[in-house]
Amino acid sequence: MNALDVIIGLIGFALTLMVFSYLLGYNFFFRAALYLLVGISSGYIAAVLITKVILPLLIAPIQAHNGQFSPLTVVPLLLCLLLVLMLFPRTVSAGKLPLAFLVGVMAALTIAGVSRGTLAPQLLSIVNRFSPSLVQTDGEPAWGQILEAVFILLGVVAVLFTFHHRTHLKGDTEARSGLVEGLSSVGQVFIGITFGMLFVGFYTTALTALIAQLGTIKDFILSLITG
Amino acid sequence: MEPIVAEVGMQPEVSVPPEESETAEEQRVAQDLLLLRSQKERAEVLRNLIAEEGKAFPPAHKPKSSHKSWYRLVIGLLMLTALIGTLLFVPPPALKEGAVPAHVIALQEAMQALGAGDKVLVVLDYQPATSREMVSMAAPVLQFIAERGVSWQLLVTQPSGLWLAQELASTAGITPIPEAIYLPGGNLGVFALAIDQNQSSPLLPSGLSALNDYRAILLLEDSGSQFQVWMEQASPWLGKGRFLALVAKQDAAMVLPYYDSGQVTGYVAGTQEGALMAQLLGQQPMHLPHERALQVGLIIMMVILILSMITKAEADATGRRREEKT
């Protein structure tokens, strides 16, 4: 282990301890580690954006390419300049133009993307689970596949009923039928299972990162001891 | 409500005390005022409000609850002690041979179908916090791709991805380390890249081919929402059978529906599946996070959750009993 590795290892060890100090409350050491992270990240991101985005993708295309100047390449720069005007109280309204453009495009993309990339393929996938080739094996019903398909369909319908039910409950005091109430409750069970699985996933990922960091510190200390 | 008649010559309670600048005419009008009690009360409130205007209020003093920080300290120390103890004194178990999930086999088949001359785009889209987990999954796969003679490129969608790409390539032992291309713009960048089949846009980074030219697009993701962006903005333009994924364990639930619908050919989620994948590809699995420590952490969390549920139920029952008594 060379001197640089030792220094980097010690810094990493110290920063890890500073972050762990949050267990004692929101203290100076934790805040210092946090500010260090935010400061370094901001500086790094700014440097990347200048060298990888602003100069090559915003400024360079404006310069005449093969003797031809494309006026369209000026549009992004103009929109950026309008955004800069938002810094001044008198010209805030001018900066709303590029923001409105962005929000409009993002909304359109999201709606189109969700319908084409998520809703349609996944609804088709549910329908396809009932295709004869899947629910039969050698002419006999494949009960396992049928049960799985019915279970998935039940999950989708029940969850949709849960949200439908909630929307109606907001302004409607009319009594719901037992079927709707029952489906809504089943939907809540499915939602609960989904959230549970998401929580376990998040926790496992965080735990993996923590164990990996503790393992690195253990290896570092052992290598210091053994030389 | 009975009107209160201000007697002539008496000063009404609500009238603002006459200032020196007030004219005699105004004073005479104020003395002749006839007011209801409610009007007097409102005027009093208004006068108080005006008197408080512009004065700074000290921030509300919240008594600090020392209980919460104690609980946090105890639980945190318990967790850390258990994890460190396991790391120090319990040897890691050998990798178990078990049933391989269908989505892992699907990814293995897709990888083995790649040959020399095929082009693969590796999209690196994870944060430094999850890099250990992601590298342990991705490095053996990259080694396999490199050994097959597949032509591959690295695309990153976050600024931190530029150095994470170098770390990944050097961990996988790939030399020379390929230069990663940065794609800015988030959702819009992915969409622009997907539809730019002629590579005519000067606003996209140079060095990339059109997405349709790649035999496979391998997503390295630690965020379900970013994975969804690729599925929603790029997948509809490219058709099925092109996307492969290595995702963090936290995204396993998110990726499964896209695998079921055929939008993702195969995927691996988490370090355990990553190790299985490495074995299937004939590669050496990376050094995994200590599995026993992972199990200890999960058991501690389960115990804490169960205890919390019992405590909450007990507290609710006590609260209800108190309400019934009162």
Side-chain angles (χ1 to χ4, degrees), chain A residues 204-216 218-219, chain B residues 83 86-87 90-95 129-137 249 270-275 285-296:
Chain A
T204 310
T205 296
L207 197 61
T208 305
L210 176 65
I211 292 169
Q213 182 60 20
L214 289 176
T216 308
K218 183 195 88 175
D219 294 342
Chain B
L83 292 181
T86 314
L87 283 173
V90 182
L95 191 65
T130 52
S131 67
R132 300 282 174 80
E133 186 180 5
M134 297 305 300
V135 167
S136 76
M137 284 187 284
K249 187 73 182 169
T271 51
Q272 299 302 318
E273 288 184 6
M286 290 286 296
H287 179 64
L288 294 176
H290 202 298
E291 198 190 332
R292 290 274 181 262
L294 206 62
Q295 287 168 344
V296 167

Side-chain angles (χ1 to χ4, degrees), chain B residues 4 13 35 62 69 120 152 227 237 289-290 294 309 320:
Chain B
I4 298 168
E13 285 181 12
L35 294 169
K62 279 187 187 173
S69 55
V120 174
W152 59 285
F227 177 80
W237 303 93
H290 202 298
L294 206 62
M309 280 191 271
R320 272 198 301 274

Side-chain angles (χ1 to χ4, degrees), chain B residues 21-58:
Chain B
S21 59
E22 211 171 24
T23 61
E25 178 65 22
E26 282 173 336
Q27 283 181 25
R28 213 167 35 248
V29 170
Q31 285 170 351
D32 291 341
L33 275 177
L34 186 128
L35 294 169
L36 297 174
R37 185 177 291 125
S38 60
Q39 286 173 320
K40 284 169 68 180
E41 287 166 1
R42 283 184 207 134
E44 185 68 27
V45 170
L46 184 63
R47 190 166 58 189
N48 288 340
L49 280 175
I50 292 168
E52 294 296 327
E53 182 67 28
K55 285 183 184 173
F57 284 94

